Amino acid sequence: MQIFNAARFNATRFKTVAVLTAALSFTAPAVPAEASAAGSTAVNTFTYTVGGAAVKVPTGCFFTHIIKGSGKRIEYQNAGVDCGFVAALGPGFCNWRIDFTYVDTNNRTYKTSRGKTHPECKIDPMRNNSPQTLPRYGKSCTHLYVNGVRRSSQCHYIKK
């Protein structure tokens, strides 16, 4: 009969992992650092007027912001609304636009990419922004406007 020695087993396993990690660090090719972030914010329920008719956006919509890149270089950036349940059955968002803003580490907005105002109603408004290299670190934010009123925002930090 063999007796299992947990302390000896864990020490052996630790040594094996350490050796494999060291070996991989010498054999793995160098890959440039890349960062990405995705986040969603719930869009609060609100009512607005379009052509004299009241439109209610119920609970169940989320404003999502995705950003990919490295350092101050943004390769891809997108923002849009996804709705589910009852919210997906409504008319959506009329007179909407999505803006991207860039804020420095002192919380000062230094650049805004204002989106086009879309007069049509969409349940899933979305906007891509152009690849770019930012002049400074800080954060990238996106804002959803409906009928000229900011209804939701989502931000990601861009740092070293």
Side-chain angles (χ1 to χ4, degrees), residues 6-46:
R8 186 170 156 209
F9 174 75
N10 285 336
T12 304
R13 186 172 64 178
F14 175 77
K15 288 177 191 172
T16 304
V17 170
V19 169
L20 285 173
T21 302
L24 287 174
S25 67
F26 289 115
T27 59
V31 178
E34 188 167 305
S36 63
S40 293
T41 301
V43 177
N44 292 327
T45 299
F46 64 95

Side-chain angles (χ1 to χ4, degrees), residues 32-154:
E34 188 167 305
S36 63
S40 293
T41 301
V43 177
N44 292 327
T45 299
F46 64 95
T47 303
Y48 63 102
T49 305
V50 177
V55 178
K56 182 176 182 176
V57 175
T59 302
C61 294
F62 292 88
F63 186 53
T64 301
H65 178 204
I66 299 169
I67 188 168
K68 294 179 183 179
S70 176
K72 292 185 267 184
R73 176 80 184 139
I74 296 174
E75 302 293 333
Y76 173 81
Q77 193 170 196
N78 173 281
V81 178
D82 296 305
C83 294
F85 308 108
V86 175
L89 302 174
F93 303 87
C94 306
N95 299 322
W96 63 272
R97 84 169 195 264
I98 296 174
D99 293 352
F100 291 92
T101 58
Y102 303 92
V103 178
D104 64 18
T105 54
N106 293 318
N107 211 28
R108 284 187 288 240
T109 300
Y110 64 87
K111 182 178 180 181
T112 298
S113 174
R114 185 180 167 117
K116 174 187 161 203
T117 299
H118 299 266
E120 74 276 4
C121 300
K122 281 193 84 171
I123 194 64
D124 59 350
M126 184 183 338
R127 178 176 175 219
N128 291 322
N129 206 18
S130 303
Q132 60 189 301
T133 300
L134 300 176
R136 39 188 95 97
Y137 291 102
K139 60 185 173 181
S140 170
C141 298
T142 185
H143 312 282
L144 170 68
Y145 290 85
V146 178
N147 245 10
V149 178
R150 186 190 300 189
R151 296 297 181 173
S152 191
S153 297
Q154 223 291 320

Side-chain angles (χ1 to χ4, degrees), residues 1-6 8:
M1 179 161 94
Q2 185 160 355
I3 298 174
F4 178 72
N5 184 337
R8 186 170 156 209

